[in-house]
Amino acid sequence: MGERLNLAEALLRGSASNVSAGGRGARIALAEPTRAWTYDEVLDTVARLGGALTTLGVKPGDRVAVLMPDGLEAATALLAAIYVGAIAVPLSELGRANDVRAFVRHCDAVCVVVHESIEPVLDEVRGELTSVREVIVVGAERGVERSFDRLVADTKPAPAAPTLATDVALLLYSTIPSDRLRGVPHTHEAPLLGFRAYGEAVLELGAADRVFGLARLATAYGLANGLIYPLAAGAQAIFLPQQARSRAVFDVLAGHKPTVLVATPSLYTQLLTDLSQAGRAALSAALRACVSSGETIPAQLVNRMSGQFGVEVLPGYGLTESWSFVLATPPGKARPGSSGTAVPGFEVRVVGDDGQPLGPHEIGTLQVRGPTVADHYWKREDESKLTFRDGWLHTADRFFYDAEGFFFHCGRTDDLFKVGGKWVSPTEVERTLLGHEAVWECACIGVDDEEGLTKPMAFVVPNVDHTPGPELEKELIEYVKREIAPWKYPRWIEFVESIPKSPLGKILRYKLRSTRVRRQTLPPA
């Protein structure tokens, strides 16, 4: 019999860290721009919603999908599922109906907690989700759904399930095409081990901190740094339910005075661009650190951020498979262009094609092992054997390290790339474009914009009777935006006469890379 541990209970009752739990009940735990709940209120809501889930037939080990914008209810829904021994599955609110169908089917969720603004997306595929027995709606329900507010009001608080430290608490997905879904199960103890290794030992989070998370809770990066770690420290987690726009972010910085900001390089670029109009008064004097991950942050952006925000930018690198950061930058030790050094308790090495460790400044593939690293993918036995083997997590990322142990990202061994912290698969973009009658052939790659950030670009061979030009480019871009998640659409389309291919017909994207230039990013949709 293993050690008893319930992650949600440990976070809310104050036993998740060495920080004193005394008096935390009346302190604010979760906040939005116009609302806030104390630790006592969050615990009460979690215990009541957990009791309602149990009454509705949700059992330990069942999957509960949470399809919501970040906010108080999203956080408590995730915690409530964990609290009663179920497995919480956070999903992106930006997913299209096809995405929702794929994720919910893959995890066999028995219950979906959804926001009223996203419920129409769920409704498109509701009849195809045979595992789903209950739908709980935050906001106005329209039919047979259950009301989040009514369930919380009408249900007595339930006790926390007697889960074990090694039981699965979370199922997290990398955002990639539906035919390559990779769900990563994480235990009740993994987030707490991650907090102690990074949140406490590196970031030095404490009860006085206010953490403003702009990375979404559907990602491991956002969930760890924006919710789990602040609660583990007895601190305050601040959310922005709407998609981040500079004015709204500056309002929160001025009003809530966060001490730590968690975002992606793309969001930091947006804030820098608009800071000149808002003025330095938009920044919080309390801010002590800007954590950055989700995509590689260019060195010039680190320098600009440090100069304009007046605080350190602390890049890190982690994977869904590792739960949180395995490389991180300690305060006072930032090195532009680097993802940081190995987080305490983790082993990180760079290996060559023969699997042998490489020395400093030699580029190879990163391998990781440590206390929070998962050991398999959900329902992906073959892929699990390739990724988790010999006691190491075999990543697809290329790195080198210097003599002082700082690691530098050098791209990936596959064709995937990240935009705004979210994965983009070139093949998915290409499949979507090929669905348009104007496209004969196409290829997609990631190119750098004027800030050094990666964005999708498509090369298109137009079909007969279709004239290449700005009008067709706009039409194809809008078509992709309608068909797949919005961050995946190509920012630019270049019309070409042919796509380079191998003798076997495989697209040779590396030959397209030689033509890439730094381009100006189109305004956000």
Side-chain angles (χ1 to χ4, degrees), residues 186 194 197 316-328 339-352 355 357 364-377 384 386-399 401 407 409 412:
H186 285 291
Y317 165 86
L319 309 96
T320 306
E321 292 86 346
S322 67
W323 162 253
S324 183
F325 287 166
V326 297
L327 300 173
S339 299
T341 58
V343 171
F346 288 84
E347 294 180 71
V348 181
R349 68 183 186 183
V350 176
V351 302
T365 305
L366 194 74
Q367 294 182 354
V368 179
R369 64 183 177 191
T372 67
V373 176
D375 60 5
H376 71 284
Y377 290 121
S384 295
L386 292 174
T387 303
F388 309 94
R389 66 181 192 273
D390 306 324
W392 292 88
L393 167 62
H394 294 243
T395 79
D397 288 297
R398 291 193 178 277
F399 275 84
Y401 63 94
F407 284 75
H409 190 249
R412 287 179 61 84

Side-chain angles (χ1 to χ4, degrees), residues 102 176-182 380 383 425 427-428 431:
I176 55 178
S178 57
D179 59 351
R180 291 184 59 193
L181 287 185
R182 292 198 298 249
R380 287 282 189 270
E383 195 165 357
S425 166
T427 57
E428 183 182 23
R431 283 200 306 267

Side-chain angles (χ1 to χ4, degrees), residues 109-457:
V110 302
C111 177
V112 179
V113 185
V114 62
H115 191 270
E116 61 177 338
S117 63
I118 310 172
E119 191 183 6
V121 177
L122 179 65
D123 285 345
E124 288 185 46
V125 293
R126 177 70 177 88
E128 303 173 59
L129 307 178
T130 56
S131 66
V132 176
R133 301 193 301 266
E134 299 288 348
V135 174
I136 298 173
V137 178
V138 175
E141 72 270 33
R142 298 180 299 166
V144 298
E145 302 89 350
R146 312 277 185 171
S147 164
F148 181 102
D149 290 338
R150 190 174 299 116
L151 287 174
V152 170
D154 294 346
T155 308
K156 293 181 179 180
T163 50
L164 302 180
T166 53
D167 288 341
V168 176
L170 289 155
L171 183 60
L172 306 181
Y173 281 95
S174 296
T175 308
I176 55 178
S178 57
D179 59 351
R180 291 184 59 193
L181 287 185
R182 292 198 298 249
V184 183
H186 285 291
T187 64
H188 284 259
E189 68 178 349
L192 302 183
L193 295 173
F195 167 70
R196 290 160 194 157
Y198 173 72
E200 274 188 330
V202 178
L203 193 55
E204 300 176 347
L205 282 179
D209 276 307
R210 296 175 296 279
V211 181
F212 185 16
L214 291 174
R216 310 307 278 180
L217 295 179
T219 67
Y221 172 46
L223 183 61
N225 292 280
L227 175 64
I228 302 295
Y229 294 173
L231 293 183
Q236 181 182 142
I238 305 170
F239 306 115
L240 188 65
Q242 67 266 39
Q243 290 298 301
R245 296 290 183 267
S246 295
R247 183 68 267 167
V249 173
F250 290 142
D251 287 345
V252 172
L253 289 172
H256 289 259
K257 295 179 172 51
T259 59
V260 177
L261 183 60
V262 178
T264 63
S266 294
L267 281 171
Y268 284 131
T269 300
Q270 178 184 316
L271 295 176
L272 277 174
T273 300
D274 296 332
L275 183 60
S276 57
Q277 297 179 0
R280 289 283 306 218
L283 299 178
S284 167
L287 197 65
R288 67 175 179 86
C290 292
V291 178
S292 176
S293 190
E295 56 188 318
T296 301
I297 184 167
Q300 66 267 30
L301 181 55
V302 173
N303 293 331
R304 288 179 60 201
M305 279 289 301
S306 298
Q308 292 295 311
F309 276 58
V311 297
E312 278 193 299
V313 179
L314 304 177
Y317 165 86
L319 309 96
T320 306
E321 292 86 346
S322 67
W323 162 253
S324 183
F325 287 166
V326 297
L327 300 173
T329 304
K333 297 183 179 180
R335 181 167 298 188
S338 171
S339 299
T341 58
V343 171
F346 288 84
E347 294 180 71
V348 181
R349 68 183 186 183
V350 176
V351 302
D353 293 339
D354 59 359
Q356 296 302 306
L358 299 176
H361 301 287
E362 295 184 274
I363 297 175
T365 305
L366 194 74
Q367 294 182 354
V368 179
R369 64 183 177 191
T372 67
V373 176
D375 60 5
H376 71 284
Y377 290 121
W378 187 265
K379 298 197 300 187
R380 287 282 189 270
E381 184 175 350
D382 290 343
E383 195 165 357
S384 295
K385 291 178 180 178
L386 292 174
T387 303
F388 309 94
R389 66 181 192 273
D390 306 324
W392 292 88
L393 167 62
H394 294 243
T395 79
D397 288 297
R398 291 193 178 277
F399 275 84
F400 74 85
Y401 63 94
D402 64 17
E404 296 177 67
F406 283 84
F407 284 75
F408 297 80
H409 190 249
C410 301
R412 287 179 61 84
T413 59
D414 56 25
D415 290 315
L416 298 178
F417 55 90
K418 280 189 173 183
V419 174
K422 307 176 186 70
W423 285 117
V424 172
S425 166
T427 57
E428 183 182 23
V429 178
E430 291 159 5
R431 283 200 306 267
T432 304
L433 277 168
L434 288 169
H436 193 285
E437 61 181 9
V439 178
W440 174 249
E441 289 185 321
C442 63
C444 175
I445 64 172
V447 305
D448 291 346
D449 66 8
E450 74 282 2
E451 297 290 350
L453 297 172
T454 302
K455 300 292 188 294
M457 177 179 179

Side-chain angles (χ1 to χ4, degrees), residues 39-88:
Y39 274 86
D40 281 343
E41 289 172 327
V42 175
L43 178 57
D44 183 65
T45 302
V46 165
R48 289 175 182 273
L49 182 60
L53 290 173
T54 301
T55 300
L56 294 174
V58 175
K59 302 185 299 296
D62 283 345
R63 275 72 66 199
V64 175
V66 177
L67 183 60
M68 294 180 59
D70 290 0
L72 308 185
E73 286 85 1
T76 51
L78 293 169
L79 292 170
I82 296 169
Y83 185 82
V84 294
I87 299 173

